[in-house]
Amino acid sequence: MDRPKWLVIAKNEYRIRTSRIRKIRRYFPFLVAGTLAIFILVLAPAFVDLFIDDFLSLLLSQVAVTMMQVILFLVFVYLIMIPISDTLREEQTRHLEIFLAAPINPSDVLLGEFLGELPFYTVIIIVIAGAFTALLRSLQLHALQFGIMILVFLLISLSALWVGTLIAALLRTQLGESTRGKDIGRALAMIIALPMVALIYAIQFGGLFEALADPATGGVIQSLLNLLPSSWGAEIIVWLTTHPGNIEILPLNIGVKLLGLGLFLVSVLGLGKRVANRAYSLEPTTFISSIAKPDGGFYNTIKRVSGKGAFGTLVTAIFKDYSRRLENLSNIAYMVGLLFLMNVFIVPNYSTEDPPIALMMSLFIFPILVVMVVGGVTVQGKESLFLFKKAPHGVKRIIKARLVQSWLTVIPIVGVVSAATVLLSLQSTSLLASLTNTGLLIIIIAAYVVFVLGLFLLNPAFSTKSVRLFVNILVVEFVSIGLFAIPLILLTLGGRITEPLEDLTYSLLIQVFLSWLLGIGFLFLGTRKLEHIE
């Protein structure tokens, strides 16, 4: 009897993954099992001693079930998002042409590749679960109870990974048919992270555990969470921790939930295989180019604002190229959404006597927004730069055009977001001081545009996966920290201003001078390098 095709693919996938250690492949599972045992029994307990008391007091409190439900829900959703995000970013590009000539179903390929990677997923999950169980060692739990906890983590995590893999395959089939679809996919890869960030902020700063534990406020959400397999696992773990050493008889509801987790994994594997046969395709995608619409009033306004003639046309063309890529717009939406979540969850935890925390957060968030906007000067490729370099005065024109386009993109966003922040913080500061600080913030961010443009010309990153891109991001963050700290140090010298954070106006004035000085210097050096580069 022939073996199932998905099993053959899974075996070959495992061999590919272990090709670098094929000399010890036969002993590899035993080595991994021994290493995991040492980690769970020796190493993990040694690392968690500092957190045991606080964690146990929370786990044995009244919000224990709610806490575990939310934690496992986060794990469940995050593991679903991993394969989806990787696929939308096109990080998993496989050569599937060999399968097109074989009598094989798409579901066999999808399931076989997942099962081939299953041992490596299992190792990572057991490491995480082992660290969690190490926190509970002082409760004198039985070894079988620890084993059940690790099994719960495995079942929930593997179910989530398979669901994420299936959704990613379906999205790849639907969005990969055109360049516009691929652009939508890359845009979604950034946006889908915002709900997860919102949930984490709600846990850390919004009192989510307490709200869900209260039947009056969290009844509906609690009922929805109870439908998910992550909540079944949470109830199992909480029961085991509150009944240490009790292994003779498991309550019927705990046994049913454990069995339900296993049946859920088997069910999603079977249903996913059926769905993949109908909706997932191995056929290579067709390349359907997008059709740009004629310029409307918005782009005509951009052309008039940036200047008449050829320069205005150049700025408009760069602005079109940037704004018509949904990936770029999603980056902006993510940073603005992140700042909004900070204002919703973090800022209310500070009183009116504290420093203007909203303004301080903007000083560190907006520079990253500037990197996402200005970095396209090199990230989109070196061809356009070298094309302008060949034209008369082309280097100065493209730099000037990029500068104007970045200002037209960043400054309105900073202005609108800062104005909204001012309206929310009028109770702690006067209107005049808030408007003054907002104006100074806009001037500082405009200087950051000049600085980041010069930085990317000095250290060009020609790909989103380039190491130089991450280096530039770190440089911008360290510079923003330095420009924030230096004025505070200068203002406190001699004791003239003892609390410079209470009123950031003087600090912002110094930052305006320093940021523009730094920006002009970097832009000058970057322009010189681009003019002399071959």
Side-chain angles (χ1 to χ4, degrees):
M1 182 178 179
D2 294 336
R3 288 181 297 175
K5 294 182 177 66
W6 56 264
L7 184 59
V8 177
I9 295 174
K11 185 176 180 180
N12 291 333
E13 183 72 19
Y14 176 77
R15 288 178 174 177
I16 291 173
R17 295 286 181 176
T18 57
S19 59
R20 295 185 180 181
I21 56 170
R22 56 181 175 271
K23 293 183 179 180
I24 61 170
R25 182 185 288 155
R26 183 176 301 177
Y27 314 105
F28 179 67
F30 303 102
L31 294 174
V32 171
T35 304
L36 289 176
I38 294 174
F39 173 79
I40 294 174
L41 298 176
V42 179
L43 297 180
F47 281 113
V48 300
D49 285 340
L50 297 176
F51 315 102
I52 284 181
D53 295 336
D54 294 335
F55 180 77
L56 290 181
S57 62
L58 185 60
L59 190 60
L60 299 176
S61 64
Q62 295 180 351
V63 298
V65 175
T66 302
M67 182 195 71
M68 286 305 306
Q69 283 181 330
V70 174
I71 290 177
L72 290 182
F73 173 74
L74 283 174
V75 172
F76 188 76
V77 174
Y78 179 72
L79 292 177
I80 290 177
M81 289 172 56
I82 288 177
I84 296 175
S85 180
D86 290 345
T87 298
L88 293 177
R89 294 178 185 275
E90 297 182 341
E91 293 180 1
Q92 293 180 338
T93 56
R94 297 180 179 273
H95 300 287
L96 299 175
E97 290 81 0
I98 189 174
F99 293 119
L100 297 176
I104 192 170
N105 293 323
S107 61
D108 291 324
V109 177
L110 196 64
L111 181 59
E113 289 182 347
F114 175 78
L115 294 179
E117 296 171 348
L118 191 62
F120 307 99
Y121 292 147
T122 302
V123 170
I124 297 174
I125 295 167
I126 290 178
V127 169
I128 298 173
F132 174 82
T133 55
L135 290 167
L136 308 175
R137 62 189 180 92
S138 62
L139 293 179
Q140 304 298 321
L141 298 178
H142 193 273
L144 181 59
Q145 292 179 310
F146 284 124
I148 294 175
M149 289 183 185
I150 293 176
L151 179 62
V152 167
F153 271 93
L154 269 175
L155 294 175
I156 292 175
S157 301
L158 294 180
S159 300
L161 285 170
W162 169 245
V163 172
T165 300
L166 180 63
I167 295 175
L170 301 181
L171 288 175
R172 184 167 59 226
T173 301
Q174 296 298 321
L175 298 178
E177 296 179 353
S178 66
T179 54
R180 187 64 171 176
K182 293 180 179 180
D183 189 26
I184 294 173
R186 289 190 291 268
L188 289 175
M190 180 67 76
I191 294 298
I192 61 176
L194 271 180
M196 181 67 70
V197 176
L199 190 57
I200 294 174
Y201 280 170
I203 293 173
Q204 291 182 327
F205 306 103
L208 180 63
F209 290 152
E210 292 76 9
L212 291 178
D214 186 358
T217 57
V220 177
I221 299 177
Q222 190 76 32
S223 300
L224 294 176
L225 285 177
N226 289 334
L227 299 176
L228 298 175
S230 55
S231 294
W232 311 342
E235 293 184 22
I236 295 172
I237 292 175
V238 172
W239 187 89
L240 292 173
T241 55
T242 53
H243 297 78
N246 187 357
I247 61 172
E248 288 84 7
I249 301 176
L250 283 177
L252 180 60
N253 63 328
I254 298 299
V256 169
K257 287 181 171 59
L258 185 60
L259 180 62
L261 288 176
L263 292 177
F264 180 81
L265 176 58
V266 175
S267 300
V268 294
L269 285 173
L271 292 175
K273 191 173 184 298
R274 289 179 175 271
V275 171
N277 271 333
R278 294 178 177 272
Y280 177 49
S281 175
L282 296 175
E283 295 292 336
T285 58
T286 57
F287 294 94
I288 303 174
S289 59
S290 303
I291 300 176
K293 297 180 180 180
D295 293 348
F298 176 75
Y299 289 115
N300 290 329
T301 303
I302 294 295
K303 187 174 182 179
R304 286 194 294 268
V305 170
S306 55
K308 298 180 180 180
F311 180 75
T313 303
L314 176 60
V315 174
T316 306
I318 295 175
F319 202 97
K320 283 183 190 176
D321 182 64
Y322 181 85
S323 60
R324 285 174 176 170
R325 297 174 186 263
L326 294 180
E327 182 181 9
N328 296 331
L329 300 182
S330 72
N331 291 336
I332 295 176
Y334 177 80
M335 298 308 301
V336 173
L338 185 63
L339 190 59
F340 170 78
L341 293 176
M342 289 181 175
N343 279 280
V344 170
F345 292 106
I346 299 179
V347 173
N349 291 297
Y350 291 85
S351 64
T352 56
E353 290 78 15
D354 292 322
I357 188 66
L359 181 61
M360 294 167 60
M361 290 189 303
S362 301
L363 288 171
F364 300 112
I365 295 295
F366 283 137
I368 303 299
L369 174 65
V370 172
V371 171
M372 292 182 171
V373 175
V374 183
V377 67
T378 60
V379 170
Q380 293 180 3
K382 63 179 75 173
E383 293 80 8
S384 61
L385 285 178
F386 290 138
L387 181 64
F388 280 97
K389 191 174 182 299
K390 298 293 182 180
H393 307 290
V395 172
K396 293 182 179 179
R397 287 183 179 180
I398 185 62
I399 291 177
K400 184 180 177 182
R402 281 285 183 179
L403 199 59
V404 173
Q405 176 263 330
S406 300
W407 278 337
L408 291 176
T409 304
V410 173
I411 291 179
I413 296 173
V414 174
V416 171
V417 174
S418 301
T421 304
V422 165
L423 294 177
L424 294 175
S425 59
L426 282 180
Q427 294 179 353
S428 58
T429 56
S430 64
L431 178 62
L432 179 60
S434 299
L435 293 177
T436 302
N437 292 339
T438 300
L440 293 175
L441 177 63
I442 293 174
I443 297 174
I444 291 172
I445 300 304
Y448 270 104
V449 171
V450 180
F451 162 66
V452 173
L453 182 58
L455 175 64
F456 272 83
L457 294 177
L458 272 176
N459 188 38
F462 295 114
S463 170
T464 54
K465 298 180 181 179
S466 173
V467 177
R468 292 186 176 187
L469 175 60
F470 299 101
V471 171
N472 289 345
I473 293 175
L474 290 176
V475 170
V476 171
E477 274 301 291
F478 282 121
V479 166
S480 64
I481 295 172
L483 291 179
F484 180 78
I486 291 175
L488 300 181
I489 296 173
L490 294 177
L491 290 172
T492 53
L493 287 178
R496 295 181 179 180
I497 300 179
T498 57
E499 295 292 339
L501 288 177
E502 292 183 356
D503 185 3
L504 288 178
T505 304
Y506 297 106
S507 175
L508 293 176
L509 285 172
I510 299 177
Q511 283 192 61
V512 168
F513 173 76
L514 294 177
S515 59
W516 275 99
L517 183 65
L518 186 67
I520 293 173
F522 266 78
L523 185 61
F524 174 76
L525 296 175
T527 304
R528 290 283 301 272
K529 180 176 180 178
L530 184 59
E531 289 177 342
H532 294 87
I533 195 173
E534 294 296 336

Tab-separated table of all heavy atoms in Angstrom, residues 381-404:
chain	number	residue	atom	x	y	z
A	381	GLY	N	15.720	51.124	-4.074
A	381	GLY	CA	16.681	50.713	-5.097
A	381	GLY	C	17.615	51.835	-5.483
A	381	GLY	O	17.309	53.020	-5.337
A	382	LYS	N	18.789	51.433	-5.986
A	382	LYS	CA	19.811	52.411	-6.358
A	382	LYS	C	19.654	52.928	-7.785
A	382	LYS	O	20.310	53.899	-8.162
A	382	LYS	CB	21.191	51.775	-6.206
A	382	LYS	CG	21.429	50.573	-7.120
A	382	LYS	CD	22.817	49.990	-6.940
A	382	LYS	CE	22.872	49.203	-5.647
A	382	LYS	NZ	24.155	48.478	-5.504
A	383	GLU	N	18.774	52.302	-8.576
A	383	GLU	CA	18.703	52.664	-9.992
A	383	GLU	C	18.291	54.117	-10.196
A	383	GLU	O	18.881	54.834	-11.001
A	383	GLU	CB	17.718	51.735	-10.728
A	383	GLU	CG	18.155	50.289	-10.836
A	383	GLU	CD	17.907	49.511	-9.555
A	383	GLU	OE1	17.254	50.074	-8.645
A	383	GLU	OE2	18.364	48.355	-9.457
A	384	SER	N	17.259	54.567	-9.457
A	384	SER	CA	16.776	55.936	-9.645
A	384	SER	C	17.829	56.962	-9.230
A	384	SER	O	17.966	58.015	-9.857
A	384	SER	CB	15.489	56.149	-8.849
A	384	SER	OG	15.710	55.948	-7.463
A	385	LEU	N	18.584	56.651	-8.158
A	385	LEU	CA	19.625	57.576	-7.730
A	385	LEU	C	20.694	57.733	-8.801
A	385	LEU	O	21.110	58.851	-9.136
A	385	LEU	CB	20.258	57.087	-6.426
A	385	LEU	CG	19.446	57.268	-5.141
A	385	LEU	CD1	20.198	56.691	-3.962
A	385	LEU	CD2	19.146	58.738	-4.898
A	386	PHE	N	21.138	56.625	-9.355
A	386	PHE	CA	22.180	56.695	-10.382
A	386	PHE	C	21.650	57.297	-11.677
A	386	PHE	O	22.397	57.921	-12.432
A	386	PHE	CB	22.749	55.304	-10.652
A	386	PHE	CG	23.575	54.768	-9.508
A	386	PHE	CD1	23.483	53.459	-9.107
A	386	PHE	CD2	24.442	55.604	-8.821
A	386	PHE	CE1	24.239	52.970	-8.051
A	386	PHE	CE2	25.210	55.137	-7.767
A	386	PHE	CZ	25.101	53.818	-7.381
A	387	LEU	N	20.347	57.136	-11.942
A	387	LEU	CA	19.756	57.754	-13.121
A	387	LEU	C	19.802	59.274	-13.011
A	387	LEU	O	20.173	59.977	-13.966
A	387	LEU	CB	18.313	57.275	-13.286
A	387	LEU	CG	17.542	57.814	-14.487
A	387	LEU	CD1	18.185	57.332	-15.780
A	387	LEU	CD2	16.080	57.378	-14.433
A	388	PHE	N	19.433	59.799	-11.840
A	388	PHE	CA	19.480	61.248	-11.654
A	388	PHE	C	20.920	61.748	-11.583
A	388	PHE	O	21.200	62.894	-11.919
A	388	PHE	CB	18.723	61.638	-10.380
A	388	PHE	CG	17.244	61.696	-10.548
A	388	PHE	CD1	16.448	60.623	-10.191
A	388	PHE	CD2	16.639	62.809	-11.089
A	388	PHE	CE1	15.076	60.663	-10.345
A	388	PHE	CE2	15.268	62.871	-11.256
A	388	PHE	CZ	14.480	61.790	-10.881
A	389	LYS	N	21.823	60.889	-11.134
A	389	LYS	CA	23.221	61.300	-11.031
A	389	LYS	C	23.822	61.609	-12.402
A	389	LYS	O	24.719	62.443	-12.525
A	389	LYS	CB	24.021	60.200	-10.339
A	389	LYS	CG	25.438	60.601	-9.933
A	389	LYS	CD	26.077	59.495	-9.137
A	389	LYS	CE	27.472	59.911	-8.685
A	389	LYS	NZ	28.383	60.189	-9.807
A	390	LYS	N	23.307	60.948	-13.432
A	390	LYS	CA	23.814	61.177	-14.783
A	390	LYS	C	23.286	62.469	-15.403
A	390	LYS	O	23.869	62.994	-16.346
A	390	LYS	CB	23.430	59.993	-15.679
A	390	LYS	CG	24.014	58.646	-15.252
A	390	LYS	CD	25.524	58.621	-15.399
A	390	LYS	CE	26.080	57.244	-15.025
A	390	LYS	NZ	27.561	57.202	-15.155
A	391	ALA	N	22.162	62.985	-14.867
A	391	ALA	CA	21.566	64.196	-15.422
A	391	ALA	C	22.268	65.445	-14.886
A	391	ALA	O	22.845	65.428	-13.789
A	391	ALA	CB	20.084	64.249	-15.082
A	392	PRO	N	22.244	66.544	-15.635
A	392	PRO	CA	22.844	67.798	-15.149
A	392	PRO	C	22.144	68.288	-13.875
A	392	PRO	O	20.917	68.399	-13.852
A	392	PRO	CB	22.622	68.767	-16.318
A	392	PRO	CG	22.418	67.896	-17.507
A	392	PRO	CD	21.747	66.662	-17.016
A	393	HIS	N	22.930	68.517	-12.848
A	393	HIS	CA	22.412	68.952	-11.543
A	393	HIS	C	21.379	67.965	-11.000
A	393	HIS	O	20.499	68.340	-10.206
A	393	HIS	CB	21.777	70.350	-11.637
A	393	HIS	CG	22.672	71.382	-12.254
A	393	HIS	ND1	23.795	71.873	-11.625
A	393	HIS	CD2	22.607	71.995	-13.473
A	393	HIS	CE1	24.387	72.762	-12.414
A	393	HIS	NE2	23.695	72.856	-13.544
A	394	GLY	N	21.481	66.714	-11.418
A	394	GLY	CA	20.488	65.722	-11.030
A	394	GLY	C	20.524	65.382	-9.556
A	394	GLY	O	19.479	65.145	-8.946
A	395	VAL	N	21.718	65.350	-8.947
A	395	VAL	CA	21.840	64.993	-7.541
A	395	VAL	C	21.133	66.016	-6.664
A	395	VAL	O	20.348	65.659	-5.763
A	395	VAL	CB	23.328	64.867	-7.149
A	395	VAL	CG1	23.465	64.690	-5.640
A	395	VAL	CG2	23.973	63.695	-7.872
A	396	LYS	N	21.381	67.284	-6.914
A	396	LYS	CA	20.749	68.325	-6.105
A	396	LYS	C	19.235	68.334	-6.302
A	396	LYS	O	18.473	68.581	-5.364
A	396	LYS	CB	21.347	69.684	-6.441
A	396	LYS	CG	22.813	69.818	-6.033
A	396	LYS	CD	23.340	71.197	-6.333
A	396	LYS	CE	24.804	71.320	-5.885
A	396	LYS	NZ	25.373	72.654	-6.174
A	397	ARG	N	18.790	68.058	-7.544
A	397	ARG	CA	17.355	68.066	-7.811
A	397	ARG	C	16.644	66.925	-7.082
A	397	ARG	O	15.590	67.129	-6.474
A	397	ARG	CB	17.101	67.962	-9.317
A	397	ARG	CG	17.425	69.232	-10.087
A	397	ARG	CD	17.073	69.079	-11.552
A	397	ARG	NE	17.343	70.294	-12.302
A	397	ARG	CZ	17.114	70.423	-13.604
A	397	ARG	NH1	16.621	69.408	-14.294
A	397	ARG	NH2	17.391	71.561	-14.220
A	398	ILE	N	17.208	65.724	-7.148
A	398	ILE	CA	16.538	64.588	-6.511
A	398	ILE	C	16.553	64.739	-4.993
A	398	ILE	O	15.580	64.398	-4.315
A	398	ILE	CB	17.192	63.255	-6.956
A	398	ILE	CG1	16.404	62.063	-6.395
A	398	ILE	CG2	18.630	63.162	-6.484
A	398	ILE	CD1	14.989	61.975	-6.868
A	399	ILE	N	17.636	65.280	-4.432
A	399	ILE	CA	17.686	65.483	-2.981
A	399	ILE	C	16.675	66.538	-2.555
A	399	ILE	O	15.947	66.365	-1.570
A	399	ILE	CB	19.110	65.867	-2.550
A	399	ILE	CG1	20.056	64.670	-2.732
A	399	ILE	CG2	19.132	66.337	-1.105
A	399	ILE	CD1	21.488	64.973	-2.410
A	400	LYS	N	16.622	67.621	-3.313
A	400	LYS	CA	15.660	68.676	-2.997
A	400	LYS	C	14.228	68.165	-3.143
A	400	LYS	O	13.359	68.464	-2.297
A	400	LYS	CB	15.891	69.875	-3.914
A	400	LYS	CG	15.000	71.077	-3.608
A	400	LYS	CD	15.293	72.228	-4.550
A	400	LYS	CE	14.350	73.393	-4.291
A	400	LYS	NZ	14.595	74.517	-5.242
A	401	ALA	N	13.973	67.379	-4.187
A	401	ALA	CA	12.632	66.849	-4.405
A	401	ALA	C	12.247	65.867	-3.286
A	401	ALA	O	11.120	65.883	-2.793
A	401	ALA	CB	12.553	66.157	-5.762
A	402	ARG	N	13.185	65.005	-2.890
A	402	ARG	CA	12.916	64.075	-1.794
A	402	ARG	C	12.664	64.817	-0.488
A	402	ARG	O	11.824	64.421	0.333
A	402	ARG	CB	14.101	63.117	-1.622
A	402	ARG	CG	14.141	61.995	-2.626
A	402	ARG	CD	13.106	60.952	-2.295
A	402	ARG	NE	13.156	59.824	-3.193
A	402	ARG	CZ	12.361	58.776	-3.100
A	402	ARG	NH1	11.453	58.712	-2.137
A	402	ARG	NH2	12.446	57.780	-3.964
A	403	LEU	N	13.382	65.909	-0.298
A	403	LEU	CA	13.212	66.701	0.918
A	403	LEU	C	11.814	67.315	0.962
A	403	LEU	O	11.110	67.248	1.991
A	403	LEU	CB	14.284	67.785	0.960
A	403	LEU	CG	14.596	68.432	2.305
A	403	LEU	CD1	15.041	67.382	3.306
A	403	LEU	CD2	15.681	69.492	2.124
A	404	VAL	N	11.383	67.893	-0.150
A	404	VAL	CA	10.060	68.518	-0.203
A	404	VAL	C	8.964	67.467	-0.057
A	404	VAL	O	7.982	67.662	0.683
A	404	VAL	CB	9.896	69.300	-1.525
A	404	VAL	CG1	8.462	69.811	-1.672
A	404	VAL	CG2	10.875	70.466	-1.585
